[in-house]
Amino acid sequence: MPEQRVAATIPVEMASWVTRFVGGDGSGRRVVDAPWQPGATVRSVLRSVSSRFPDLAEALWRGSDLGENIEVLVNDAVLGIDHTIDSRLGPGDRIALIGQYLGG
């Protein structure tokens, strides 16, 4: 019997108002799986997902840098703590996008 291989993915979870950019209603959570490939980085996974959702791309990126209104977490740690935008990811890693709330 041939061996079955399951392709590895990196789940990218969106919460609260960020869900609007991936077909949600601006509440709750939505998860989009991005294919993992050797050498994948936080940047490449986010580029892959945002290329499928133009509204997300517009909200997430400012040129080649991340914008300031969406917080990126890798394995529950805010980007910049344990990972940078160019950190490598492996199977089992996960990304979350959380919308910042501004105002007072």
Side-chain angles (χ1 to χ4, degrees):
M1 174 181 278
E3 179 182 328
Q4 290 186 337
R5 293 186 58 158
V6 176
T9 61
I10 302 288
V12 180
E13 179 180 4
M14 274 65 72
S16 70
W17 58 262
V18 180
T19 65
R20 291 184 324 214
F21 304 124
V22 293
D25 65 3
S27 66
R29 298 177 182 277
R30 291 191 73 125
V31 177
V32 174
D33 286 325
W36 175 84
Q37 297 179 8
T41 64
V42 175
R43 181 187 309 272
S44 68
V45 168
L46 291 177
R47 286 285 185 195
S48 171
V49 169
S50 62
S51 72
R52 296 172 13 206
F53 300 96
D55 291 339
L56 178 61
E58 187 175 327
L60 187 60
W61 298 103
R62 297 294 174 264
S64 62
D65 295 320
L66 291 171
E68 63 280 346
N69 295 326
I70 298 177
E71 198 71 58
V72 177
L73 287 77
V74 178
N75 300 331
D76 299 324
V78 175
L79 197 65
I81 304 280
D82 294 330
H83 292 84
T84 69
I85 189 75
D86 294 312
S87 291
R88 294 211 176 192
L89 297 173
D93 286 331
R94 63 195 186 290
I95 295 174
L97 304 178
I98 311 276
Q100 294 183 358
Y101 288 93
L102 307 173

Coordinates of all heavy atoms in Angstrom, one line a residue:
M1 N 0.8 -1.2 0.0 CA 0.0 0.0 0.0 C 0.9 1.2 0.0 O 1.8 1.3 0.8 CB -0.9 0.0 1.2 CG -1.7 1.2 1.4 SD -2.8 1.2 2.9 CE -4.1 0.3 2.3
P2 N 0.6 2.2 -0.9 CA 1.5 3.4 -0.9 C 1.3 4.2 0.3 O 0.2 4.3 0.9 CB 1.0 4.2 -2.2 CG -0.2 3.5 -2.7 CD -0.4 2.2 -1.9
E3 N 2.4 4.8 0.7 CA 2.4 5.7 1.9 C 1.6 7.0 1.6 O 1.8 7.6 0.5 CB 3.8 6.1 2.3 CG 3.9 7.0 3.5 CD 5.3 7.3 3.9 OE1 6.2 6.5 3.6 OE2 5.5 8.4 4.3
Q4 N 0.7 7.4 2.5 CA 0.0 8.6 2.3 C 0.7 9.7 3.1 O 1.0 9.5 4.2 CB -1.5 8.5 2.8 CG -2.3 7.6 1.9 CD -3.8 7.7 2.4 OE1 -4.1 8.0 3.5 NE2 -4.7 7.4 1.5
R5 N 0.9 10.8 2.4 CA 1.5 12.0 3.0 C 0.5 13.1 3.2 O -0.2 13.4 2.3 CB 2.7 12.5 2.2 CG 3.8 11.5 2.1 CD 5.0 12.1 1.4 NE 5.4 13.3 2.1 CZ 6.6 13.8 2.0 NH1 7.5 13.3 1.3 NH2 6.9 14.9 2.7
V6 N 0.5 13.7 4.4 CA -0.3 14.8 4.7 C 0.5 16.0 4.6 O 1.6 16.1 5.3 CB -1.0 14.6 6.1 CG1 -1.8 15.9 6.4 CG2 -1.8 13.4 6.1
A7 N 0.1 17.0 3.8 CA 0.9 18.2 3.6 C 0.8 19.0 4.9 O -0.3 19.1 5.6 CB 0.3 19.0 2.5
A8 N 1.9 19.5 5.4 CA 2.0 20.3 6.6 C 1.4 21.7 6.3 O 1.6 22.3 5.2 CB 3.4 20.4 7.1
T9 N 0.7 22.3 7.3 CA 0.2 23.6 7.1 C 0.5 24.4 8.4 O 0.8 23.9 9.4 CB -1.3 23.6 6.9 OG1 -2.0 23.0 8.0 CG2 -1.7 22.9 5.6
I10 N 0.5 25.7 8.2 CA 0.6 26.6 9.3 C -0.8 27.3 9.5 O -1.2 28.0 8.6 CB 1.7 27.7 9.1 CG1 3.0 27.1 8.8 CG2 1.7 28.7 10.2 CD1 3.7 26.5 10.0
P11 N -1.5 27.1 10.6 CA -2.8 27.8 10.8 C -2.5 29.3 11.1 O -1.7 29.6 11.9 CB -3.4 27.1 11.9 CG -2.3 26.4 12.7 CD -1.2 26.2 11.7
V12 N -3.3 30.1 10.4 CA -3.3 31.5 10.7 C -4.6 31.9 11.1 O -5.6 31.9 10.4 CB -2.9 32.3 9.4 CG1 -2.8 33.8 9.7 CG2 -1.5 31.9 8.9
E13 N -4.7 32.3 12.4 CA -6.0 32.6 13.0 C -6.2 34.1 13.1 O -5.3 34.8 13.5 CB -6.0 32.0 14.5 CG -7.3 32.3 15.2 CD -7.3 31.8 16.6 OE1 -6.3 31.2 17.0 OE2 -8.3 31.9 17.3
M14 N -7.4 34.5 12.7 CA -7.8 35.9 12.8 C -8.8 36.1 13.8 O -9.7 35.2 14.0 CB -8.4 36.4 11.4 CG -7.3 36.9 10.4 SD -6.2 35.7 9.7 CE -7.2 34.7 8.7
A15 N -8.7 37.2 14.6 CA -9.7 37.4 15.7 C -10.3 38.8 15.6 O -9.6 39.7 15.1 CB -9.0 37.2 17.1
S16 N -11.5 38.9 16.1 CA -12.2 40.2 16.2 C -12.4 40.8 14.8 O -12.7 40.1 13.8 CB -11.6 41.1 17.2 OG -10.4 41.6 16.8
W17 N -12.2 42.1 14.7 CA -12.5 42.8 13.4 C -11.6 42.4 12.3 O -12.0 42.6 11.1 CB -12.4 44.3 13.6 CG -11.1 44.9 14.1 CD1 -10.9 45.3 15.4 CD2 -10.0 45.3 13.3 NE1 -9.6 45.8 15.5 CE2 -9.0 45.8 14.2 CE3 -9.7 45.2 12.0 CZ2 -7.8 46.3 13.8 CZ3 -8.4 45.6 11.6 CH2 -7.5 46.2 12.5
V18 N -10.5 41.7 12.5 CA -9.6 41.2 11.4 C -10.4 40.1 10.6 O -10.1 40.0 9.4 CB -8.3 40.7 12.0 CG1 -7.4 40.2 10.9 CG2 -7.6 41.7 12.8
T19 N -11.4 39.5 11.2 CA -12.1 38.4 10.4 C -12.8 39.0 9.2 O -13.1 38.3 8.2 CB -13.1 37.7 11.3 OG1 -14.1 38.6 11.7 CG2 -12.4 37.0 12.5
R20 N -13.1 40.3 9.2 CA -13.8 40.9 8.0 C -13.0 40.8 6.8 O -13.5 40.7 5.7 CB -14.0 42.4 8.3 CG -15.0 42.7 9.3 CD -15.2 44.2 9.4 NE -14.0 44.9 9.2 CZ -13.6 46.0 9.8 NH1 -14.5 46.6 10.6 NH2 -12.5 46.6 9.5
F21 N -11.6 40.7 6.9 CA -10.8 40.6 5.7 C -10.7 39.3 5.1 O -10.1 39.1 4.1 CB -9.4 41.2 6.1 CG -9.4 42.5 6.7 CD1 -8.8 42.8 7.9 CD2 -10.0 43.6 6.0 CE1 -8.8 44.1 8.5 CE2 -10.0 44.9 6.6 CZ -9.4 45.1 7.8
V22 N -11.2 38.3 5.8 CA -11.2 36.9 5.3 C -12.6 36.3 5.2 O -12.7 35.1 5.4 CB -10.2 36.0 6.1 CG1 -8.8 36.5 5.9 CG2 -10.6 36.0 7.6
G23 N -13.6 37.1 5.0 CA -15.0 36.6 4.8 C -15.8 36.5 6.1 O -16.9 36.0 6.0
G24 N -15.3 37.0 7.2 CA -16.0 36.9 8.5 C -16.9 38.2 8.7 O -16.9 39.1 7.8
D25 N -17.5 38.3 9.8 CA -18.4 39.4 10.1 C -17.8 40.4 11.1 O -18.5 41.3 11.5 CB -19.7 38.9 10.6 CG -19.6 38.2 12.0 OD1 -18.5 38.1 12.5 OD2 -20.7 37.7 12.5
G26 N -16.5 40.3 11.4 CA -15.8 41.2 12.3 C -15.9 40.8 13.7 O -15.6 41.6 14.6
S27 N -16.3 39.6 14.0 CA -16.4 39.1 15.3 C -15.9 37.7 15.4 O -15.7 37.1 14.3 CB -17.8 39.2 15.9 OG -18.6 38.3 15.2
G28 N -15.7 37.2 16.5 CA -15.2 35.8 16.7 C -13.8 35.5 16.1 O -13.0 36.4 16.1
R29 N -13.7 34.3 15.5 CA -12.4 33.9 15.0 C -12.6 33.1 13.7 O -13.6 32.5 13.5 CB -11.7 32.9 16.0 CG -11.4 33.6 17.3 CD -10.8 32.6 18.3 NE -10.6 33.2 19.6 CZ -9.5 34.0 19.9 NH1 -8.6 34.1 19.0 NH2 -9.4 34.5 21.1
R30 N -11.6 33.2 12.9 CA -11.5 32.4 11.6 C -10.1 31.9 11.5 O -9.2 32.6 11.8 CB -11.9 33.2 10.4 CG -13.4 33.6 10.5 CD -13.9 34.1 9.2 NE -14.0 33.1 8.2 CZ -15.0 32.9 7.5 NH1 -16.1 33.5 7.7 NH2 -15.0 32.0 6.5
V31 N -9.9 30.7 10.9 CA -8.6 30.2 10.7 C -8.4 29.8 9.2 O -9.3 29.2 8.6 CB -8.4 28.9 11.6 CG1 -7.0 28.3 11.3 CG2 -8.5 29.2 13.0
V32 N -7.3 30.2 8.7 CA -6.9 29.9 7.3 C -5.7 29.1 7.4 O -4.7 29.6 8.1 CB -6.7 31.2 6.5 CG1 -6.2 30.9 5.1 CG2 -8.0 32.1 6.5
D33 N -5.6 28.0 6.7 CA -4.4 27.2 6.7 C -3.5 27.6 5.5 O -4.0 27.7 4.4 CB -4.7 25.7 6.6 CG -5.3 25.2 7.9 OD1 -4.8 25.6 8.9 OD2 -6.1 24.3 7.8
A34 N -2.2 27.9 5.8 CA -1.3 28.2 4.8 C -0.4 27.0 4.6 O 0.1 26.4 5.6 CB -0.4 29.4 5.2
P35 N -0.1 26.6 3.4 CA 0.8 25.5 3.2 C 2.2 25.8 3.8 O 2.8 26.9 3.6 CB 0.9 25.3 1.7 CG 0.3 26.5 1.1 CD -0.5 27.2 2.2
W36 N 2.8 24.8 4.5 CA 4.1 25.0 5.0 C 5.1 24.3 4.0 O 4.8 23.2 3.5 CB 4.3 24.3 6.4 CG 5.7 24.4 6.8 CD1 6.3 25.4 7.5 CD2 6.7 23.3 6.7 NE1 7.6 25.1 7.7 CE2 7.9 23.8 7.2 CE3 6.7 22.1 6.1 CZ2 9.1 23.1 7.3 CZ3 7.9 21.3 6.1 CH2 9.0 21.9 6.7
Q37 N 6.2 25.0 3.8 CA 7.3 24.5 3.0 C 8.6 24.7 3.7 O 8.7 25.7 4.5 CB 7.3 25.1 1.6 CG 6.1 24.9 0.8 CD 6.1 25.6 -0.5 OE1 7.2 26.1 -0.9 NE2 5.0 25.6 -1.2
P38 N 9.6 23.9 3.5 CA 10.9 24.1 4.2 C 11.4 25.5 3.9 O 11.3 26.0 2.7 CB 11.8 23.0 3.6 CG 10.8 21.9 3.2 CD 9.6 22.6 2.7
G39 N 11.9 26.2 4.9 CA 12.4 27.5 4.7 C 11.3 28.6 4.9 O 11.6 29.8 4.8
A40 N 10.0 28.2 5.2 CA 9.0 29.1 5.4 C 9.3 30.1 6.6 O 9.8 29.6 7.6 CB 7.6 28.4 5.6
T41 N 8.9 31.3 6.4 CA 9.1 32.3 7.5 C 7.8 32.9 7.8 O 6.8 32.7 7.1 CB 10.1 33.4 7.0 OG1 9.5 34.1 5.9 CG2 11.4 32.9 6.6
V42 N 7.7 33.7 8.9 CA 6.5 34.4 9.3 C 6.1 35.2 8.1 O 4.9 35.3 7.7 CB 6.7 35.2 10.5 CG1 5.5 36.1 10.8 CG2 7.1 34.3 11.7
R43 N 7.0 36.0 7.5 CA 6.7 36.8 6.3 C 6.2 36.0 5.2 O 5.1 36.4 4.6 CB 8.0 37.6 5.9 CG 7.8 38.5 4.7 CD 9.1 39.1 4.2 NE 9.9 39.7 5.2 CZ 9.8 41.0 5.6 NH1 8.9 41.8 5.1 NH2 10.6 41.4 6.6
S44 N 6.8 34.9 4.8 CA 6.3 34.2 3.6 C 4.9 33.6 3.8 O 4.1 33.6 2.9 CB 7.3 33.1 3.2 OG 7.4 32.1 4.1
V45 N 4.7 33.1 5.1 CA 3.3 32.6 5.4 C 2.3 33.7 5.3 O 1.2 33.6 4.7 CB 3.3 31.9 6.7 CG1 1.9 31.5 7.2 CG2 4.2 30.6 6.6
L46 N 2.6 34.9 5.9 CA 1.6 36.0 5.9 C 1.4 36.5 4.5 O 0.3 36.9 4.1 CB 2.1 37.1 6.8 CG 2.0 36.8 8.3 CD1 2.6 38.0 9.1 CD2 0.6 36.5 8.7
R47 N 2.5 36.5 3.7 CA 2.4 36.9 2.3 C 1.5 36.0 1.5 O 0.6 36.4 0.7 CB 3.7 37.1 1.6 CG 4.5 38.3 2.0 CD 3.9 39.5 1.3 NE 4.8 40.7 1.6 CZ 4.4 41.9 1.5 NH1 3.2 42.2 1.0 NH2 5.1 42.9 1.7
S48 N 1.7 34.7 1.8 CA 0.9 33.7 1.1 C -0.6 33.8 1.4 O -1.5 33.8 0.5 CB 1.4 32.3 1.5 OG 0.5 31.3 1.1
V49 N -0.9 34.0 2.7 CA -2.3 34.1 3.1 C -2.9 35.4 2.6 O -4.0 35.5 2.0 CB -2.5 34.0 4.6 CG1 -3.9 34.4 5.1 CG2 -2.1 32.6 5.1
S50 N -2.2 36.5 2.7 CA -2.7 37.8 2.3 C -2.8 37.9 0.8 O -3.7 38.7 0.3 CB -1.9 39.0 2.9 OG -0.6 39.0 2.5
S51 N -2.1 37.1 0.1 CA -2.2 37.1 -1.4 C -3.6 36.6 -1.8 O -4.1 36.9 -2.9 CB -1.1 36.4 -2.1 OG -1.2 35.0 -1.9
R52 N -4.2 35.7 -1.0 CA -5.5 35.1 -1.2 C -6.6 36.1 -0.8 O -7.8 35.8 -1.2 CB -5.6 33.8 -0.5 CG -4.6 32.8 -1.0 CD -4.5 31.5 -0.3 NE -5.5 31.1 0.7 CZ -5.2 30.3 1.7 NH1 -4.0 29.8 1.9 NH2 -6.1 30.0 2.5
F53 N -6.3 37.0 0.0 CA -7.4 38.0 0.6 C -6.9 39.4 0.4 O -6.2 39.9 1.3 CB -7.6 37.6 2.0 CG -8.1 36.2 2.3 CD1 -7.3 35.2 2.6 CD2 -9.5 35.9 2.1 CE1 -7.7 33.9 2.9 CE2 -9.9 34.7 2.3 CZ -9.1 33.7 2.7
P54 N -7.2 40.1 -0.7 CA -6.7 41.4 -1.0 C -7.0 42.4 0.1 O -6.1 43.3 0.4 CB -7.3 41.8 -2.3 CG -7.7 40.5 -2.9 CD -8.0 39.5 -1.8
D55 N -8.1 42.3 0.8 CA -8.5 43.2 1.8 C -7.5 43.0 3.0 O -7.1 44.0 3.7 CB -9.9 43.1 2.3 CG -10.9 43.6 1.2 OD1 -10.5 44.4 0.3 OD2 -12.1 43.2 1.3
L56 N -7.2 41.8 3.3 CA -6.2 41.5 4.4 C -4.9 42.1 4.0 O -4.2 42.7 4.9 CB -6.1 40.0 4.6 CG -5.1 39.6 5.7 CD1 -5.5 40.2 7.1 CD2 -5.0 38.1 5.8
A57 N -4.4 41.9 2.8 CA -3.1 42.4 2.3 C -3.1 43.9 2.6 O -2.1 44.5 3.1 CB -2.9 42.1 0.9
E58 N -4.2 44.6 2.2 CA -4.2 46.1 2.3 C -4.1 46.5 3.8 O -3.4 47.5 4.2 CB -5.4 46.6 1.7 CG -5.5 48.2 1.7 CD -6.7 48.7 0.9 OE1 -7.1 48.1 0.0 OE2 -7.1 49.8 1.3
A59 N -4.8 45.8 4.7 CA -4.8 46.1 6.1 C -3.5 45.7 6.8 O -3.0 46.3 7.7 CB -6.0 45.4 6.8
L60 N -2.9 44.6 6.3 CA -1.7 44.0 7.0 C -0.4 44.7 6.7 O 0.5 44.8 7.5 CB -1.6 42.5 6.8 CG -0.6 41.7 7.5 CD1 -0.9 41.8 9.0 CD2 -0.7 40.2 7.1
W61 N -0.2 45.1 5.4 CA 1.1 45.5 4.9 C 1.2 47.0 4.7 O 0.2 47.6 4.2 CB 1.5 44.7 3.7 CG 1.6 43.2 3.9 CD1 0.6 42.3 3.5 CD2 2.6 42.5 4.5 NE1 1.1 41.1 3.9 CE2 2.3 41.2 4.5 CE3 3.9 42.9 5.0 CZ2 3.1 40.2 5.0 CZ3 4.7 41.9 5.6 CH2 4.3 40.6 5.5
R62 N 2.3 47.5 4.9 CA 2.7 48.9 4.5 C 4.0 48.7 3.7 O 5.1 48.7 4.2 CB 3.0 49.8 5.7 CG 1.8 50.1 6.5 CD 0.7 50.8 5.8 NE -0.5 51.0 6.5 CZ -1.6 50.1 6.4 NH1 -1.6 49.1 5.6 NH2 -2.7 50.3 7.2
G63 N 3.8 48.5 2.4 CA 5.0 48.2 1.5 C 5.5 46.8 1.9 O 4.7 45.8 1.9
S64 N 6.7 46.7 2.3 CA 7.3 45.4 2.6 C 7.3 45.1 4.1 O 7.7 44.1 4.6 CB 8.7 45.2 2.1 OG 9.5 46.2 2.7
D65 N 6.8 46.1 4.9 CA 6.7 46.0 6.3 C 5.3 45.8 6.8 O 4.3 46.2 6.1 CB 7.3 47.3 7.0 CG 8.7 47.5 6.7 OD1 9.5 46.5 6.7 OD2 9.1 48.6 6.5
L66 N 5.1 45.3 8.0 CA 3.8 45.1 8.6 C 3.3 46.5 9.0 O 4.1 47.4 9.5 CB 3.9 44.2 9.8 CG 4.1 42.8 9.6 CD1 4.4 42.0 10.9 CD2 3.0 42.1 8.8
G67 N 2.0 46.7 8.9 CA 1.4 47.9 9.4 C 1.3 47.9 10.9 O 1.6 46.9 11.5
E68 N 0.7 48.9 11.5 CA 0.7 49.0 12.9 C -0.6 48.6 13.5 O -0.8 48.5 14.7 CB 1.1 50.4 13.4 CG 0.1 51.5 12.9 CD 0.3 51.9 11.5 OE1 1.3 51.6 10.8 OE2 -0.6 52.6 11.0
N69 N -1.7 48.3 12.8 CA -3.0 48.1 13.3 C -3.4 46.7 13.6 O -4.4 46.4 14.2 CB -4.1 48.7 12.4 CG -4.0 50.2 12.3 OD1 -3.6 50.9 13.3 ND2 -4.3 50.8 11.2
I70 N -2.5 45.7 13.2 CA -2.8 44.3 13.4 C -1.6 43.7 14.1 O -0.5 43.8 13.6 CB -3.1 43.6 12.1 CG1 -4.4 44.1 11.5 CG2 -3.2 42.1 12.4 CD1 -4.7 43.5 10.1
E71 N -1.8 43.2 15.3 CA -0.7 42.5 16.1 C -0.6 41.1 15.6 O -1.5 40.4 15.3 CB -1.1 42.5 17.5 CG 0.0 42.3 18.5 CD 1.0 43.5 18.5 OE1 0.5 44.6 18.9 OE2 2.1 43.3 18.2
V72 N 0.7 40.7 15.4 CA 1.0 39.3 14.9 C 1.6 38.6 16.1 O 2.5 39.0 16.8 CB 2.0 39.4 13.8 CG1 2.4 38.0 13.3 CG2 1.5 40.2 12.6
L73 N 1.0 37.4 16.4 CA 1.5 36.5 17.4 C 2.0 35.2 16.7 O 1.4 34.7 15.8 CB 0.4 36.1 18.4 CG 0.0 37.2 19.4 CD1 -0.9 38.3 18.7 CD2 -0.7 36.6 20.5
V74 N 3.1 34.7 17.2 CA 3.6 33.4 16.7 C 3.7 32.5 18.0 O 4.3 32.8 19.0 CB 5.0 33.5 16.1 CG1 5.5 32.2 15.7 CG2 5.0 34.5 14.9
N75 N 2.9 31.4 17.9 CA 2.8 30.5 19.1 C 2.5 31.2 20.4 O 3.1 31.0 21.4 CB 4.1 29.7 19.2 CG 4.4 28.9 17.9 OD1 3.5 28.5 17.2 ND2 5.7 28.7 17.7
D76 N 1.5 32.1 20.3 CA 1.0 32.9 21.4 C 1.9 34.0 22.0 O 1.7 34.6 23.0 CB 0.6 32.0 22.6 CG -0.5 31.0 22.2 OD1 -1.4 31.4 21.4 OD2 -0.5 29.9 22.6
A77 N 3.1 34.2 21.3 CA 4.0 35.3 21.7 C 3.9 36.4 20.7 O 4.0 36.2 19.5 CB 5.4 34.8 21.9
V78 N 3.8 37.7 21.1 CA 3.8 38.8 20.2 C 5.1 38.8 19.4 O 6.2 38.5 19.9 CB 3.7 40.1 21.0 CG1 3.8 41.3 20.1 CG2 2.4 40.1 21.8
L79 N 4.9 39.1 18.1 CA 6.1 39.2 17.2 C 7.1 40.2 17.8 O 6.7 41.3 18.3 CB 5.6 39.7 15.8 CG 6.6 39.5 14.7 CD1 6.8 38.0 14.4 CD2 6.1 40.1 13.4
G80 N 8.4 39.8 17.8 CA 9.4 40.6 18.4 C 9.9 40.0 19.8 O 10.9 40.4 20.3
I81 N 9.1 39.1 20.4 CA 9.5 38.5 21.6 C 10.4 37.3 21.3 O 11.6 37.3 21.6 CB 8.3 38.1 22.5 CG1 7.3 39.3 22.7 CG2 8.7 37.4 23.8 CD1 7.8 40.2 23.8
D82 N 9.8 36.3 20.8 CA 10.5 35.0 20.4 C 10.8 34.9 18.9 O 11.6 34.1 18.5 CB 9.7 33.8 20.9 CG 9.6 33.7 22.4 OD1 10.5 34.2 23.1 OD2 8.6 33.1 22.8
H83 N 10.1 35.6 18.1 CA 10.2 35.6 16.7 C 10.2 36.9 16.0 O 9.7 37.9 16.6 CB 9.0 34.8 16.1 CG 9.0 33.3 16.4 ND1 8.4 32.9 17.6 CD2 9.4 32.3 15.7 CE1 8.5 31.6 17.6 NE2 9.1 31.2 16.5
T84 N 10.8 37.0 14.9 CA 10.7 38.2 14.1 C 10.0 37.9 12.8 O 9.6 36.8 12.6 CB 12.2 38.7 13.7 OG1 12.7 37.8 12.7 CG2 13.1 38.9 14.9
I85 N 9.7 38.9 12.0 CA 9.0 38.7 10.7 C 9.7 37.7 9.8 O 9.1 37.0 9.0 CB 8.8 40.0 10.0 CG1 7.8 39.9 8.8 CG2 10.1 40.7 9.6 CD1 6.4 39.7 9.1
D86 N 11.1 37.6 10.0 CA 11.8 36.7 9.1 C 12.3 35.4 9.8 O 13.1 34.6 9.3 CB 13.0 37.4 8.5 CG 12.6 38.5 7.6 OD1 11.7 38.2 6.7 OD2 13.1 39.6 7.7
S87 N 11.7 35.1 11.0 CA 11.9 33.8 11.7 C 11.4 32.7 10.9 O 10.3 32.8 10.3 CB 11.3 33.8 13.1 OG 11.9 34.7 13.9
R88 N 12.1 31.6 10.9 CA 11.6 30.3 10.2 C 10.5 29.7 11.0 O 10.6 29.7 12.3 CB 12.8 29.4 10.0 CG 13.8 30.0 9.0 CD 14.4 29.0 8.2 NE 15.3 29.6 7.3 CZ 15.8 29.0 6.3 NH1 15.6 27.8 6.1 NH2 16.6 29.7 5.5
L89 N 9.6 29.1 10.3 CA 8.5 28.3 11.0 C 8.6 26.9 10.6 O 9.1 26.5 9.5 CB 7.2 28.9 10.5 CG 6.9 30.3 10.8 CD1 5.6 30.8 10.1 CD2 6.8 30.5 12.3
G90 N 8.1 26.0 11.5 CA 8.1 24.6 11.2 C 6.7 24.1 11.4 O 5.8 24.8 12.0
P91 N 6.4 22.8 11.0 CA 5.2 22.2 11.3 C 4.9 22.3 12.8 O 5.7 22.1 13.6 CB 5.3 20.8 10.8 CG 6.5 20.8 9.8 CD 7.4 21.9 10.3
G92 N 3.7 22.6 13.1 CA 3.3 22.8 14.5 C 3.3 24.2 15.0 O 2.7 24.5 16.0
D93 N 4.0 25.1 14.3 CA 3.9 26.5 14.6 C 2.6 27.1 14.1 O 1.9 26.5 13.3 CB 5.0 27.3 13.9 CG 6.4 27.1 14.6 OD1 6.4 26.8 15.8 OD2 7.4 27.1 13.8
R94 N 2.1 28.2 14.8 CA 0.9 28.8 14.4 C 1.0 30.3 14.5 O 1.8 30.8 15.3 CB -0.3 28.3 15.2 CG -0.2 28.5 16.6 CD -1.1 27.6 17.4 NE -1.1 28.0 18.8 CZ -0.1 27.8 19.7 NH1 1.0 27.2 19.3 NH2 -0.2 28.2 20.9
I95 N 0.2 31.0 13.7 CA 0.2 32.5 13.7 C -1.2 33.0 14.1 O -2.2 32.4 13.7 CB 0.6 33.0 12.3 CG1 2.1 32.6 12.0 CG2 0.5 34.5 12.2 CD1 2.5 33.0 10.6
A96 N -1.3 34.1 14.8 CA -2.6 34.7 15.1 C -2.4 36.2 14.7 O -1.4 36.8 14.9 CB -2.9 34.5 16.5
L97 N -3.5 36.7 14.1 CA -3.6 38.1 13.8 C -4.7 38.7 14.7 O -5.9 38.3 14.6 CB -3.9 38.3 12.3 CG -2.9 37.7 11.4 CD1 -3.4 37.9 9.9 CD2 -1.5 38.2 11.6
I98 N -4.4 39.7 15.5 CA -5.3 40.3 16.4 C -5.4 41.8 16.1 O -4.3 42.4 16.1 CB -4.8 40.1 17.9 CG1 -4.4 38.7 18.2 CG2 -5.8 40.7 18.9 CD1 -5.5 37.7 18.6
G99 N -6.6 42.3 15.9 CA -6.7 43.7 15.7 C -6.5 44.5 16.9 O -7.0 44.2 18.0
Q100 N -5.7 45.6 16.7 CA -5.5 46.5 17.9 C -6.7 47.4 18.0 O -7.4 47.7 17.0 CB -4.3 47.3 17.6 CG -3.0 46.5 17.7 CD -1.8 47.4 17.5 OE1 -1.9 48.6 17.3 NE2 -0.6 46.8 17.6
Y101 N -7.0 47.8 19.2 CA -8.1 48.8 19.4 C -7.5 50.1 19.8 O -6.6 50.1 20.7 CB -9.1 48.3 20.5 CG -9.9 47.1 20.0 CD1 -9.5 45.8 20.2 CD2 -11.1 47.3 19.4 CE1 -10.2 44.7 19.8 CE2 -11.9 46.3 18.9 CZ -11.4 45.0 19.1 OH -12.2 44.0 18.7
L102 N -7.9 51.1 19.1 CA -7.3 52.5 19.3 C -8.4 53.4 19.9 O -9.6 53.2 19.6 CB -6.7 53.0 18.0 CG -5.8 52.1 17.2 CD1 -5.4 52.7 15.9 CD2 -4.5 51.9 18.0
G103 N -7.9 54.4 20.5 CA -8.9 55.3 21.0 C -9.0 55.3 22.5 O -8.2 54.6 23.2
G104 N -9.9 56.0 23.1 CA -10.0 56.0 24.5 C -11.3 56.3 25.1 O -12.3 56.3 24.5

